[in-house]
């Protein structure tokens, strides 16, 4: 008679069922970071549409709105990181936390930039309004700085006038700038949300049982 081994059968990666492409896509859209990123992106998109319809487009470039959008993004990162950390437990490393936050930010900003593109396409004059707003804000800012030469100020204004905010390159450049400027904060949030073993967690390990 053959002896039955008491040792557990080790399962390899090849033995584990592989998910189909459709299952991977479904799993991606079920991630809390995707949900919160989409939700915050729709909020930002709706806000820009409201500002446009109420003829308050300049408010998009004001400090209160920028602070509002940044606060919303960080809140979404907090909610998504907390949810995914709860699901993954010890597997939620620094890079997992960073990836979770990056998904939130990239999705939300994509929808926000999409709002710009749609509004620029609908209203051909909106791009000129954007340029004029940026010029006015630059002139106002120049009044508070004395170390910039007049020739440099003129050069900046000329470059602003050459802008094409509605172009694909400008929209993509805005997306890149906003994603990476906000992603800098993720370095700190990822350290906070990454999984850290408790001081007494070693007591629950199998080696210390019995």
């Amino acid at each position: 008679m053959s002896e039955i081994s008491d040792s557990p059968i080790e399962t390899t990666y090849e033995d584990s069922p592989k998910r189909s492409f459709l299952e991977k896509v479904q799993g991606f859209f079920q991630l809390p970071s995707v949900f919160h990123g989409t939700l915050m992106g729709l909020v930002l998109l709706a806000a820009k549409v409201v500002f446009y319809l109420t003829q308050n487009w300049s408010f998009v470039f004001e400090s209160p709105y920028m602070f509002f959008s940044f606060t919303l993004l960080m809140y979404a990162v907090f909610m998504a990181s907390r949810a995914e950390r709860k699901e993954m437990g010890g597997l939620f490393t620094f890079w997992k936390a960073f990836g979770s936050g990056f998904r939130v930010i990239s999705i939300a900003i994509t929808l926000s930039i999409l709002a710009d593109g749609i509004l620029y396409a609908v209203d051909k004059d909106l791009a000129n309004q954007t340029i004029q707003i940026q010029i006015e804000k630059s002139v106002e800012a120049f009044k508070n700085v004395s170390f910039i030469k007049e020739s440099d100020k003129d050069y900046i204004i000329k470059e602003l006038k050459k802008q094409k905010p509605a172009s694909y390159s400008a929209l993509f450049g805005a997306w890149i700038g906003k994603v990476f400027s906000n992603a800098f904060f993720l370095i700190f949030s990822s350290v906070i949300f990454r999984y850290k073993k408790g001081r007494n967690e070693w007591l629950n390990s199998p080696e210390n049982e019995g």
Side-chain angles (χ1 to χ4, degrees), residues 85-155:
R85 177 182 174 180
K86 185 176 181 181
E87 290 181 2
M88 299 180 67
L91 297 177
F92 200 64
T93 60
F94 171 86
W95 290 112
K96 292 286 185 181
F98 187 88
S100 174
F102 192 80
R103 281 192 295 271
V104 172
I105 288 176
S106 58
I107 292 172
I109 291 178
T110 297
L111 291 173
S112 177
I113 296 295
L114 179 63
D116 295 341
I118 293 173
L119 293 173
Y120 287 141
V122 171
D123 188 347
K124 301 300 182 181
D125 188 54
L126 188 61
N128 292 328
Q129 291 183 36
T130 298
I131 295 173
Q132 188 60 35
I133 291 169
Q134 292 177 337
I135 290 174
E136 290 175 0
K137 289 194 169 296
S138 297
V139 171
E140 190 67 25
F142 290 156
K143 295 178 181 179
N144 300 320
V145 290
S146 57
F147 56 87
I148 300 179
K149 297 179 181 179
E150 290 298 325
S151 58
D152 293 334
K153 294 178 182 179
D154 294 337
Y155 175 78

Side-chain angles (χ1 to χ4, degrees), residues 111-208:
L111 291 173
S112 177
I113 296 295
L114 179 63
D116 295 341
I118 293 173
L119 293 173
Y120 287 141
V122 171
D123 188 347
K124 301 300 182 181
D125 188 54
L126 188 61
N128 292 328
Q129 291 183 36
T130 298
I131 295 173
Q132 188 60 35
I133 291 169
Q134 292 177 337
I135 290 174
E136 290 175 0
K137 289 194 169 296
S138 297
V139 171
E140 190 67 25
F142 290 156
K143 295 178 181 179
N144 300 320
V145 290
S146 57
F147 56 87
I148 300 179
K149 297 179 181 179
E150 290 298 325
S151 58
D152 293 334
K153 294 178 182 179
D154 294 337
Y155 175 78
I156 293 173
I157 298 300
K158 288 180 181 178
E159 290 300 312
L160 287 174
K161 290 180 179 179
K162 294 179 183 178
Q163 284 190 117
K164 295 181 179 180
S167 66
Y168 291 119
S169 58
L171 292 172
F172 182 70
W175 183 86
I176 291 290
K178 290 181 179 180
V179 166
F180 283 95
S181 61
N182 284 281
F184 180 76
F185 179 80
L186 296 180
I187 298 174
F188 305 99
S189 65
S190 300
V191 172
I192 296 172
F193 285 107
R194 67 184 172 85
Y195 179 80
K196 291 172 285 189
K197 289 186 177 181
R199 292 183 177 181
N200 297 323
E201 190 170 335
W202 63 275
L203 293 172
N204 298 323
S205 62
E207 291 80 2
N208 295 309

